[in-house]
Amino acid sequence: MKIGILTSGGDAPGMNACIRAIVRYALSNGIECYGFYRGYQGILDDDHVVLKRTSVSNIIQQGGTFLQTDRCEDFLKSEYRRKAAVILRKHGIENLIVIGGDGSFKGAELLSEETGITVVGIPGTIDNDLAYTDRTLGFDTAVNTVIGAINNLRDTMQSHNKVTFVEVMGRRCGDIAFNAGLTGGAEYVLIPEMPFDIKKIAEEITESALKGKKSNLVVLAEGAGKMEEICAEFEKFSGIKPRQTRLGFIQRGGSPTYYDRLLACELGIESVKMIANGTDSRVIGVKDGKIISYGISEALKMRKQFNRSLYEDMYKLS
Ligand code: F6P
């Protein structure tokens, strides 16, 4: 048996650890592994490497993905998905493991429906924006990176009596902002899931400054609005010019945390087991500490639940 492996969409810490787990577990069970470079594009270009145990040496601790990744526009078209299946079958590959986010899973769903190639999807994105799983690979590391940045910012803001807005990634999902804000002790967290009133925030911060509060830190999810506009509004209502820090791609890199490595190992092993047992196309993830799987279209239809009460309680801590 042969398995194809690729990483797709934005890279995330833990992707390398996951590829390592897949390759070593598969080889231990007599299954060959073909790695395709730059996501689905690597299949279309037939740009691949046959992966040995040593091909994945010394990568468990590395961020990024040594197979590289891409957002492949061509894969949105049926003709290219059919071409991909022909190339996979030329190598005797009927099973593909895709590590990526919702866009990558959409491609996987269509590839599977149209060509009969079996795809197992592993959630790999810092955004944690897939409803069917509690966690995606890379999220824990990204949140820890943001907390580190918040700690540094607080030192300097405190020394200068400043207000700072910190913009973090997450696309349309506020999970990075909320989790980093809550555990980093931010005064405010602005996310797409919850309405916010910038005038009220400006008034509260002005009042707290009068009472002697030395600094205020506002975490802004990129999906909640444009930082420049929100900061201009804030300045209009408070008369305070806030500092602006956009963390950007810093959040996507770095050595994966313990949790992301553990998840990478568990999901990697499970994906190979499923394929060896003749699974249909599915995505896997984790719910309440247990590994779970769903049909791809069912998983993609699910809507993420936001922990509104924890968000509201956060303000009692700030
Ligand atoms: O999906 C991961 C992510 O880092 C998002 O948080 C961000 O909005 C986006 O990718 C950036 O994408 P790109 O790498 O295409 O600029």
Side-chain angles (χ1 to χ4, degrees):
M1 188 186 239
K2 293 176 180 175
I3 295 179
I5 307 166
L6 60 83
T7 48
S8 171
D11 65 312
M15 282 182 164
N16 275 326
C18 193
I19 299 166
R20 170 184 177 274
I22 294 166
V23 170
R24 295 211 166 149
Y25 194 77
L27 291 174
S28 303
N29 288 283
I31 300 170
E32 278 185 67
C33 293
Y34 280 51
F36 289 90
Y37 290 108
R38 293 169 294 111
Y40 292 115
Q41 192 61 47
I43 306 182
L44 297 174
D45 297 342
D46 199 5
D47 188 8
H48 71 267
V49 55
V50 177
L51 296 162
K52 306 286 174 213
R53 288 189 86 81
T54 50
S55 315
V56 291
S57 296
N58 202 27
I59 62 167
I60 194 168
Q61 78 284 14
Q62 288 173 9
T65 159
F66 84 101
L67 287 178
Q68 298 193 287
T69 179
D70 201 357
R71 302 187 195 279
C72 180
E73 296 288 317
D74 279 348
F75 219 70
L76 298 171
K77 299 180 197 133
S78 174
E79 65 198 273
Y80 287 98
R81 294 191 290 271
R82 289 182 192 284
K83 179 180 170 191
V86 170
I87 293 169
L88 289 171
R89 289 194 164 114
K90 182 182 83 180
H91 296 296
I93 299 170
E94 287 292 332
N95 296 281
L96 183 66
I97 297 176
V98 171
I99 310 173
D102 55 355
S104 312
F105 289 174
K106 187 72 204 158
E109 179 191 15
L110 295 170
L111 175 71
S112 167
E113 275 172 17
E114 290 167 3
T115 71
I117 295 283
T118 300
V119 190
V120 174
I122 295 180
T125 163
I126 62 165
D127 299 340
N128 207 44
D129 58 349
L130 294 163
Y132 78 91
T133 180
D134 287 342
R135 286 288 172 263
T136 57
L137 276 183
F139 171 71
D140 188 69
T141 307
V143 171
N144 279 292
T145 301
V146 175
I147 291 173
I150 289 176
N151 293 343
N152 290 6
L153 282 166
R154 195 179 284 288
D155 290 345
T156 177
M157 293 306 137
Q158 187 91 3
S159 306
H160 288 267
N161 278 357
K162 296 288 183 201
V163 176
T164 188
F165 279 65
V166 191
E167 188 201 84
V168 303
M169 281 185 166
R171 212 179 284 269
R172 288 173 298 278
C173 177
D175 276 21
I176 295 179
F178 176 44
N179 285 275
L182 172 67
T183 59
E187 274 71 23
Y188 296 91
V189 175
L190 313 184
I191 51 175
E193 292 83 351
M194 295 295 290
F196 55 88
D197 180 349
I198 201 69
K199 183 166 182 275
K200 185 163 170 275
I201 293 171
E203 286 164 1
E204 285 174 4
I205 288 183
T206 313
E207 203 178 307
S208 76
L210 291 173
K211 286 188 194 147
K213 188 163 169 51
K214 287 211 172 85
S215 71
N216 277 280
L217 194 140
V218 184
V219 178
L220 168 68
E222 65 175 343
K226 289 203 166 45
M227 179 145 78
E228 292 76 8
E229 289 171 14
I230 291 173
C231 286
E233 285 272 285
F234 176 83
E235 189 175 348
K236 187 176 86 192
F237 293 124
S238 66
I240 302 168
K241 191 174 185 60
R243 294 284 195 263
Q244 298 180 26
T245 306
R246 181 170 282 125
L247 296 183
F249 290 96
I250 298 280
Q251 297 161 89
R252 284 232 299 249
S255 184
T257 56
Y258 151 75
Y259 180 77
D260 275 332
R261 295 183 198 199
L262 176 69
L263 195 58
C265 294
E266 289 182 333
L267 295 177
I269 291 168
E270 181 64 17
S271 63
V272 176
K273 277 188 185 164
M274 286 167 66
I275 289 173
N277 291 331
T279 185
D280 57 346
S281 289
R282 299 183 85 70
V283 288
I284 60 176
V286 62
K287 262 277 172 252
D288 302 325
K290 294 201 174 59
I291 302 296
I292 44 93
S293 79
Y294 288 97
I296 305 178
S297 49
E298 187 188 359
L300 290 179
K301 273 189 214 121
M302 292 180 187
R303 290 288 149 254
K304 212 168 148 64
Q305 301 297 315
F306 181 70
N307 191 342
R308 195 188 172 110
S309 79
L310 184 58
Y311 179 86
E312 284 164 356
D313 285 344
M314 173 180 67
Y315 284 111
K316 296 173 191 140
L317 310 184
S318 68

